[in-house]
Amino acid sequence: MAQAKAPSQSQVDSYFKELNNWGRWGNDDQLGTVNLITPARQTAAERLVRTGRTVSLARHIGPQPVRSYYISYPLQRERSDAVIDRFGLVYHGYSITHIDALCHVAFDKALYNGRPFKQSFTDAGALWCPIDPLFGGISTRGVLLDVAAGRKEGYVTVGNPVTPQELDAVAARAGIRVEAGDVLVLRSGQEPFVQANPDWVPRVSPHPGLHISCLTWFREHDIAAIAWDMMDE
């Protein structure tokens, strides 16, 4: 596989102007590309259902995500004694399946639609683009592109990231056409990669995964969201 050429810094900077959706659905919008999931797209997705079997893509929560543990003892309740405990999780990462709200990351101190980052939060939570607008769920066609299945190692390797050309090839191999309003489910093979590289440390070791130029592919295909195993080079 040919080595992907890294774009220049000026090209990457241009992505934030040429590919963003700020103002596309109005300056007060807080849904972003979920707006691409129209009633027509939902109806079309429902027609694809054959068996109605539910398949979870979530990972099992194991002991690794636990970051803090507290125990309170004793707690006196009239003639009874009790003990309670609680633990905290850092779910933004590689261990726990989750969805990011649009307030999760800002660029140049601004959130989606240009709202200032620091002024968008209080101790009670986000004032702009919280997860609340998605409480009704996301219902549309999900398209699986299994990149790892086409790699001889069974996973994406460091130095050979996923490119737009490979995404096209994987879609063609599966006989799938990615359309506007789809949720892209992208598998790069994070679990077999970790098993083959036990000393790999997230955000410390070199990362395999998506090439930054995939952003152009996502915008061209107008995907509504992406679910992936968080491998980004």
Side-chain angles (χ1 to χ4, degrees), residues 143-178:
V143 177
L144 171 64
L145 294 186
D146 192 349
V147 176
R151 296 291 186 102
K152 63 180 182 180
E153 299 87 356
Y155 51 83
V156 176
T157 57
V158 175
N160 288 298
V162 182
T163 63
Q165 293 78 14
E166 187 172 16
L167 293 177
D168 285 333
V170 173
R173 186 170 67 238
I176 295 173
R177 179 183 175 185
V178 179

Side-chain angles (χ1 to χ4, degrees), residues 63-101:
Q64 182 181 355
V66 178
R67 292 291 182 264
S68 56
Y69 181 80
Y70 305 91
I71 186 168
S72 298
Y73 173 83
L75 294 176
Q76 293 184 345
R77 297 175 180 174
E78 297 180 354
R79 297 175 63 182
S80 300
D81 290 324
V83 59
I84 62 172
D85 58 353
R86 58 190 175 97
F87 61 89
L89 300 177
V90 179
Y91 56 87
H92 287 287
Y94 293 78
S95 301
I96 299 178
T97 304
H98 65 282
I99 184 169
D100 289 333

